[in-house]
Amino acid sequence: PGIVSYYQGYHDIASVLLMTCGEELATAMLERMALFHLRDCTRPTLEPVIDALDLIMPLLRRTDEEIHAHVAKAGVPPFY
């Protein structure tokens, strides 16, 4: 861990943490989130995120066939 890239919306997470936790705790929390919980989003490309999003339809098919059929018929991609 160590190198992270910015992605759209990262500042929203940072601002919520800053407003609710204060600068010291927010900084520590944001670093941990960027390196571990959000690491796929902070890579130089979105390829890992797209790969994860590609799992949505197979998971949806296994958990709720009716909703899966509706989403598939609508042609909604797993990212917007």
PDB file of all heavy atoms in Angstrom, residues 48-72:
ATOM      1  N   PRO A  48     -10.225  -2.510 -11.910  1.00  0.00           N
ATOM      2  CA  PRO A  48     -10.674  -3.357 -10.799  1.00  0.00           C
ATOM      3  C   PRO A  48     -12.120  -3.077 -10.382  1.00  0.00           C
ATOM      4  O   PRO A  48     -12.849  -3.988 -10.009  1.00  0.00           O
ATOM      5  CB  PRO A  48      -9.716  -3.017  -9.658  1.00  0.00           C
ATOM      6  CG  PRO A  48      -8.545  -2.369 -10.293  1.00  0.00           C
ATOM      7  CD  PRO A  48      -9.053  -1.713 -11.535  1.00  0.00           C
ATOM      8  N   VAL A  49     -12.547  -1.836 -10.477  1.00  0.00           N
ATOM      9  CA  VAL A  49     -13.920  -1.476 -10.121  1.00  0.00           C
ATOM     10  C   VAL A  49     -14.892  -2.055 -11.148  1.00  0.00           C
ATOM     11  O   VAL A  49     -15.926  -2.626 -10.786  1.00  0.00           O
ATOM     12  CB  VAL A  49     -14.082   0.056 -10.031  1.00  0.00           C
ATOM     13  CG1 VAL A  49     -15.532   0.441  -9.783  1.00  0.00           C
ATOM     14  CG2 VAL A  49     -13.184   0.625  -8.938  1.00  0.00           C
ATOM     15  N   ILE A  50     -14.559  -1.926 -12.422  1.00  0.00           N
ATOM     16  CA  ILE A  50     -15.404  -2.475 -13.483  1.00  0.00           C
ATOM     17  C   ILE A  50     -15.511  -3.993 -13.336  1.00  0.00           C
ATOM     18  O   ILE A  50     -16.596  -4.565 -13.486  1.00  0.00           O
ATOM     19  CB  ILE A  50     -14.861  -2.099 -14.878  1.00  0.00           C
ATOM     20  CG1 ILE A  50     -14.808  -0.589 -15.060  1.00  0.00           C
ATOM     21  CG2 ILE A  50     -15.676  -2.764 -15.982  1.00  0.00           C
ATOM     22  CD1 ILE A  50     -16.135   0.121 -14.948  1.00  0.00           C
ATOM     23  N   ASP A  51     -14.394  -4.645 -13.014  1.00  0.00           N
ATOM     24  CA  ASP A  51     -14.422  -6.096 -12.797  1.00  0.00           C
ATOM     25  C   ASP A  51     -15.375  -6.457 -11.664  1.00  0.00           C
ATOM     26  O   ASP A  51     -16.136  -7.428 -11.766  1.00  0.00           O
ATOM     27  CB  ASP A  51     -13.018  -6.626 -12.482  1.00  0.00           C
ATOM     28  CG  ASP A  51     -12.096  -6.596 -13.685  1.00  0.00           C
ATOM     29  OD1 ASP A  51     -12.588  -6.450 -14.823  1.00  0.00           O
ATOM     30  OD2 ASP A  51     -10.864  -6.702 -13.484  1.00  0.00           O
ATOM     31  N   ALA A  52     -15.339  -5.689 -10.583  1.00  0.00           N
ATOM     32  CA  ALA A  52     -16.236  -5.949  -9.452  1.00  0.00           C
ATOM     33  C   ALA A  52     -17.687  -5.686  -9.838  1.00  0.00           C
ATOM     34  O   ALA A  52     -18.585  -6.456  -9.477  1.00  0.00           O
ATOM     35  CB  ALA A  52     -15.840  -5.096  -8.255  1.00  0.00           C
ATOM     36  N   LEU A  53     -17.934  -4.614 -10.587  1.00  0.00           N
ATOM     37  CA  LEU A  53     -19.295  -4.294 -11.009  1.00  0.00           C
ATOM     38  C   LEU A  53     -19.861  -5.352 -11.947  1.00  0.00           C
ATOM     39  O   LEU A  53     -21.076  -5.566 -11.983  1.00  0.00           O
ATOM     40  CB  LEU A  53     -19.336  -2.917 -11.672  1.00  0.00           C
ATOM     41  CG  LEU A  53     -19.108  -1.728 -10.740  1.00  0.00           C
ATOM     42  CD1 LEU A  53     -18.991  -0.442 -11.548  1.00  0.00           C
ATOM     43  CD2 LEU A  53     -20.213  -1.617  -9.707  1.00  0.00           C
ATOM     44  N   ASP A  54     -18.992  -6.018 -12.696  1.00  0.00           N
ATOM     45  CA  ASP A  54     -19.444  -7.089 -13.591  1.00  0.00           C
ATOM     46  C   ASP A  54     -20.031  -8.270 -12.819  1.00  0.00           C
ATOM     47  O   ASP A  54     -20.697  -9.127 -13.395  1.00  0.00           O
ATOM     48  CB  ASP A  54     -18.300  -7.569 -14.488  1.00  0.00           C
ATOM     49  CG  ASP A  54     -18.018  -6.611 -15.627  1.00  0.00           C
ATOM     50  OD1 ASP A  54     -18.902  -5.799 -15.967  1.00  0.00           O
ATOM     51  OD2 ASP A  54     -16.906  -6.684 -16.188  1.00  0.00           O
ATOM     52  N   LEU A  55     -19.806  -8.326 -11.527  1.00  0.00           N
ATOM     53  CA  LEU A  55     -20.359  -9.403 -10.700  1.00  0.00           C
ATOM     54  C   LEU A  55     -21.801  -9.141 -10.281  1.00  0.00           C
ATOM     55  O   LEU A  55     -22.486 -10.039  -9.799  1.00  0.00           O
ATOM     56  CB  LEU A  55     -19.494  -9.597  -9.446  1.00  0.00           C
ATOM     57  CG  LEU A  55     -18.054 -10.012  -9.689  1.00  0.00           C
ATOM     58  CD1 LEU A  55     -17.281  -9.986  -8.376  1.00  0.00           C
ATOM     59  CD2 LEU A  55     -17.995 -11.379 -10.330  1.00  0.00           C
ATOM     60  N   ILE A  56     -22.265  -7.902 -10.460  1.00  0.00           N
ATOM     61  CA  ILE A  56     -23.593  -7.537  -9.983  1.00  0.00           C
ATOM     62  C   ILE A  56     -24.695  -8.374 -10.639  1.00  0.00           C
ATOM     63  O   ILE A  56     -25.557  -8.917  -9.951  1.00  0.00           O
ATOM     64  CB  ILE A  56     -23.858  -6.035 -10.175  1.00  0.00           C
ATOM     65  CG1 ILE A  56     -22.988  -5.245  -9.200  1.00  0.00           C
ATOM     66  CG2 ILE A  56     -25.334  -5.705  -9.966  1.00  0.00           C
ATOM     67  CD1 ILE A  56     -23.068  -3.742  -9.372  1.00  0.00           C
ATOM     68  N   MET A  57     -24.669  -8.473 -11.958  1.00  0.00           N
ATOM     69  CA  MET A  57     -25.743  -9.210 -12.638  1.00  0.00           C
ATOM     70  C   MET A  57     -25.766 -10.701 -12.271  1.00  0.00           C
ATOM     71  O   MET A  57     -26.839 -11.231 -11.965  1.00  0.00           O
ATOM     72  CB  MET A  57     -25.674  -9.000 -14.147  1.00  0.00           C
ATOM     73  CG  MET A  57     -26.036  -7.586 -14.570  1.00  0.00           C
ATOM     74  SD  MET A  57     -27.672  -7.047 -14.037  1.00  0.00           S
ATOM     75  CE  MET A  57     -28.699  -7.935 -15.192  1.00  0.00           C
ATOM     76  N   PRO A  58     -24.623 -11.405 -12.263  1.00  0.00           N
ATOM     77  CA  PRO A  58     -24.679 -12.808 -11.824  1.00  0.00           C
ATOM     78  C   PRO A  58     -25.159 -12.955 -10.378  1.00  0.00           C
ATOM     79  O   PRO A  58     -25.932 -13.875 -10.072  1.00  0.00           O
ATOM     80  CB  PRO A  58     -23.234 -13.295 -11.971  1.00  0.00           C
ATOM     81  CG  PRO A  58     -22.632 -12.400 -13.002  1.00  0.00           C
ATOM     82  CD  PRO A  58     -23.300 -11.072 -12.810  1.00  0.00           C
ATOM     83  N   LEU A  59     -24.751 -12.047  -9.506  1.00  0.00           N
ATOM     84  CA  LEU A  59     -25.223 -12.111  -8.120  1.00  0.00           C
ATOM     85  C   LEU A  59     -26.708 -11.816  -8.028  1.00  0.00           C
ATOM     86  O   LEU A  59     -27.437 -12.479  -7.281  1.00  0.00           O
ATOM     87  CB  LEU A  59     -24.437 -11.125  -7.245  1.00  0.00           C
ATOM     88  CG  LEU A  59     -22.985 -11.491  -6.985  1.00  0.00           C
ATOM     89  CD1 LEU A  59     -22.253 -10.329  -6.321  1.00  0.00           C
ATOM     90  CD2 LEU A  59     -22.886 -12.745  -6.130  1.00  0.00           C
ATOM     91  N   LEU A  60     -27.154 -10.838  -8.782  1.00  0.00           N
ATOM     92  CA  LEU A  60     -28.574 -10.499  -8.786  1.00  0.00           C
ATOM     93  C   LEU A  60     -29.405 -11.668  -9.324  1.00  0.00           C
ATOM     94  O   LEU A  60     -30.474 -11.971  -8.790  1.00  0.00           O
ATOM     95  CB  LEU A  60     -28.803  -9.237  -9.627  1.00  0.00           C
ATOM     96  CG  LEU A  60     -30.192  -8.624  -9.591  1.00  0.00           C
ATOM     97  CD1 LEU A  60     -30.625  -8.318  -8.164  1.00  0.00           C
ATOM     98  CD2 LEU A  60     -30.221  -7.373 -10.446  1.00  0.00           C
ATOM     99  N   ARG A  61     -28.915 -12.327 -10.362  1.00  0.00           N
ATOM    100  CA  ARG A  61     -29.627 -13.484 -10.928  1.00  0.00           C
ATOM    101  C   ARG A  61     -29.799 -14.574  -9.868  1.00  0.00           C
ATOM    102  O   ARG A  61     -30.848 -15.209  -9.785  1.00  0.00           O
ATOM    103  CB  ARG A  61     -28.876 -14.027 -12.142  1.00  0.00           C
ATOM    104  CG  ARG A  61     -29.576 -15.199 -12.805  1.00  0.00           C
ATOM    105  CD  ARG A  61     -28.938 -15.706 -14.097  1.00  0.00           C
ATOM    106  NE  ARG A  61     -27.490 -15.700 -14.086  1.00  0.00           N
ATOM    107  CZ  ARG A  61     -26.729 -14.918 -14.877  1.00  0.00           C
ATOM    108  NH1 ARG A  61     -27.278 -14.088 -15.727  1.00  0.00           N
ATOM    109  NH2 ARG A  61     -25.422 -14.990 -14.814  1.00  0.00           N
ATOM    110  N   ARG A  62     -28.769 -14.772  -9.053  1.00  0.00           N
ATOM    111  CA  ARG A  62     -28.838 -15.833  -8.026  1.00  0.00           C
ATOM    112  C   ARG A  62     -29.716 -15.451  -6.850  1.00  0.00           C
ATOM    113  O   ARG A  62     -30.256 -16.330  -6.171  1.00  0.00           O
ATOM    114  CB  ARG A  62     -27.445 -16.175  -7.528  1.00  0.00           C
ATOM    115  CG  ARG A  62     -26.613 -16.867  -8.594  1.00  0.00           C
ATOM    116  CD  ARG A  62     -25.380 -17.422  -7.997  1.00  0.00           C
ATOM    117  NE  ARG A  62     -25.790 -18.499  -7.082  1.00  0.00           N
ATOM    118  CZ  ARG A  62     -25.198 -19.653  -6.993  1.00  0.00           C
ATOM    119  NH1 ARG A  62     -24.161 -19.907  -7.761  1.00  0.00           N
ATOM    120  NH2 ARG A  62     -25.599 -20.565  -6.150  1.00  0.00           N
ATOM    121  N   THR A  63     -29.841 -14.149  -6.572  1.00  0.00           N
ATOM    122  CA  THR A  63     -30.578 -13.739  -5.376  1.00  0.00           C
ATOM    123  C   THR A  63     -32.009 -13.304  -5.659  1.00  0.00           C
ATOM    124  O   THR A  63     -32.874 -13.443  -4.790  1.00  0.00           O
ATOM    125  CB  THR A  63     -29.851 -12.594  -4.643  1.00  0.00           C
ATOM    126  OG1 THR A  63     -29.683 -11.494  -5.536  1.00  0.00           O
ATOM    127  CG2 THR A  63     -28.498 -13.053  -4.129  1.00  0.00           C
ATOM    128  N   ASP A  64     -32.264 -12.760  -6.864  1.00  0.00           N
ATOM    129  CA  ASP A  64     -33.616 -12.301  -7.188  1.00  0.00           C
ATOM    130  C   ASP A  64     -33.805 -12.328  -8.702  1.00  0.00           C
ATOM    131  O   ASP A  64     -33.507 -11.360  -9.396  1.00  0.00           O
ATOM    132  CB  ASP A  64     -33.853 -10.891  -6.646  1.00  0.00           C
ATOM    133  CG  ASP A  64     -35.324 -10.498  -6.652  1.00  0.00           C
ATOM    134  OD1 ASP A  64     -36.020 -10.817  -7.643  1.00  0.00           O
ATOM    135  OD2 ASP A  64     -35.766  -9.877  -5.670  1.00  0.00           O
ATOM    136  N   GLU A  65     -34.316 -13.440  -9.187  1.00  0.00           N
ATOM    137  CA  GLU A  65     -34.457 -13.630 -10.635  1.00  0.00           C
ATOM    138  C   GLU A  65     -35.409 -12.608 -11.269  1.00  0.00           C
ATOM    139  O   GLU A  65     -35.197 -12.173 -12.398  1.00  0.00           O
ATOM    140  CB  GLU A  65     -34.914 -15.048 -10.943  1.00  0.00           C
ATOM    141  CG  GLU A  65     -33.837 -16.077 -10.682  1.00  0.00           C
ATOM    142  CD  GLU A  65     -34.267 -17.486 -11.067  1.00  0.00           C
ATOM    143  OE1 GLU A  65     -35.250 -17.630 -11.824  1.00  0.00           O
ATOM    144  OE2 GLU A  65     -33.619 -18.432 -10.605  1.00  0.00           O
ATOM    145  N   GLU A  66     -36.443 -12.220 -10.535  1.00  0.00           N
ATOM    146  CA  GLU A  66     -37.412 -11.258 -11.085  1.00  0.00           C
ATOM    147  C   GLU A  66     -36.757  -9.888 -11.314  1.00  0.00           C
ATOM    148  O   GLU A  66     -36.913  -9.282 -12.382  1.00  0.00           O
ATOM    149  CB  GLU A  66     -38.606 -11.123 -10.148  1.00  0.00           C
ATOM    150  CG  GLU A  66     -39.695 -10.218 -10.688  1.00  0.00           C
ATOM    151  CD  GLU A  66     -40.898 -10.124  -9.766  1.00  0.00           C
ATOM    152  OE1 GLU A  66     -40.981 -10.878  -8.772  1.00  0.00           O
ATOM    153  OE2 GLU A  66     -41.766  -9.279 -10.055  1.00  0.00           O
ATOM    154  N   ILE A  67     -36.045  -9.409 -10.333  1.00  0.00           N
ATOM    155  CA  ILE A  67     -35.359  -8.118 -10.495  1.00  0.00           C
ATOM    156  C   ILE A  67     -34.269  -8.241 -11.550  1.00  0.00           C
ATOM    157  O   ILE A  67     -34.089  -7.340 -12.375  1.00  0.00           O
ATOM    158  CB  ILE A  67     -34.792  -7.619  -9.153  1.00  0.00           C
ATOM    159  CG1 ILE A  67     -35.949  -7.226  -8.230  1.00  0.00           C
ATOM    160  CG2 ILE A  67     -33.863  -6.429  -9.368  1.00  0.00           C
ATOM    161  CD1 ILE A  67     -35.532  -6.783  -6.855  1.00  0.00           C
ATOM    162  N   HIS A  68     -33.544  -9.351 -11.564  1.00  0.00           N
ATOM    163  CA  HIS A  68     -32.510  -9.557 -12.575  1.00  0.00           C
ATOM    164  C   HIS A  68     -33.115  -9.469 -13.975  1.00  0.00           C
ATOM    165  O   HIS A  68     -32.572  -8.802 -14.855  1.00  0.00           O
ATOM    166  CB  HIS A  68     -31.829 -10.907 -12.387  1.00  0.00           C
ATOM    167  CG  HIS A  68     -30.885 -11.240 -13.493  1.00  0.00           C
ATOM    168  ND1 HIS A  68     -31.289 -11.937 -14.613  1.00  0.00           N
ATOM    169  CD2 HIS A  68     -29.582 -10.929 -13.679  1.00  0.00           C
ATOM    170  CE1 HIS A  68     -30.270 -12.054 -15.435  1.00  0.00           C
ATOM    171  NE2 HIS A  68     -29.221 -11.451 -14.898  1.00  0.00           N
ATOM    172  N   ALA A  69     -34.248 -10.126 -14.190  1.00  0.00           N
ATOM    173  CA  ALA A  69     -34.894 -10.106 -15.503  1.00  0.00           C
ATOM    174  C   ALA A  69     -35.300  -8.685 -15.886  1.00  0.00           C
ATOM    175  O   ALA A  69     -35.123  -8.268 -17.037  1.00  0.00           O
ATOM    176  CB  ALA A  69     -36.105 -11.030 -15.500  1.00  0.00           C
ATOM    177  N   HIS A  70     -35.818  -7.933 -14.937  1.00  0.00           N
ATOM    178  CA  HIS A  70     -36.235  -6.554 -15.201  1.00  0.00           C
ATOM    179  C   HIS A  70     -35.040  -5.680 -15.578  1.00  0.00           C
ATOM    180  O   HIS A  70     -35.091  -4.936 -16.560  1.00  0.00           O
ATOM    181  CB  HIS A  70     -36.955  -5.985 -13.977  1.00  0.00           C
ATOM    182  CG  HIS A  70     -37.401  -4.576 -14.136  1.00  0.00           C
ATOM    183  ND1 HIS A  70     -38.454  -4.220 -14.949  1.00  0.00           N
ATOM    184  CD2 HIS A  70     -36.929  -3.432 -13.596  1.00  0.00           C
ATOM    185  CE1 HIS A  70     -38.615  -2.914 -14.906  1.00  0.00           C
ATOM    186  NE2 HIS A  70     -37.704  -2.413 -14.100  1.00  0.00           N
ATOM    187  N   VAL A  71     -33.964  -5.777 -14.808  1.00  0.00           N
ATOM    188  CA  VAL A  71     -32.761  -4.983 -15.075  1.00  0.00           C
ATOM    189  C   VAL A  71     -32.138  -5.398 -16.408  1.00  0.00           C
ATOM    190  O   VAL A  71     -31.721  -4.546 -17.203  1.00  0.00           O
ATOM    191  CB  VAL A  71     -31.747  -5.104 -13.912  1.00  0.00           C
ATOM    192  CG1 VAL A  71     -30.427  -4.442 -14.252  1.00  0.00           C
ATOM    193  CG2 VAL A  71     -32.329  -4.509 -12.634  1.00  0.00           C
ATOM    194  N   ALA A  72     -32.081  -6.698 -16.659  1.00  0.00           N
ATOM    195  CA  ALA A  72     -31.505  -7.186 -17.920  1.00  0.00           C
ATOM    196  C   ALA A  72     -32.331  -6.708 -19.112  1.00  0.00           C
ATOM    197  O   ALA A  72     -31.782  -6.276 -20.127  1.00  0.00           O
ATOM    198  CB  ALA A  72     -31.422  -8.708 -17.896  1.00  0.00           C
TER     199      ALA A  72
END
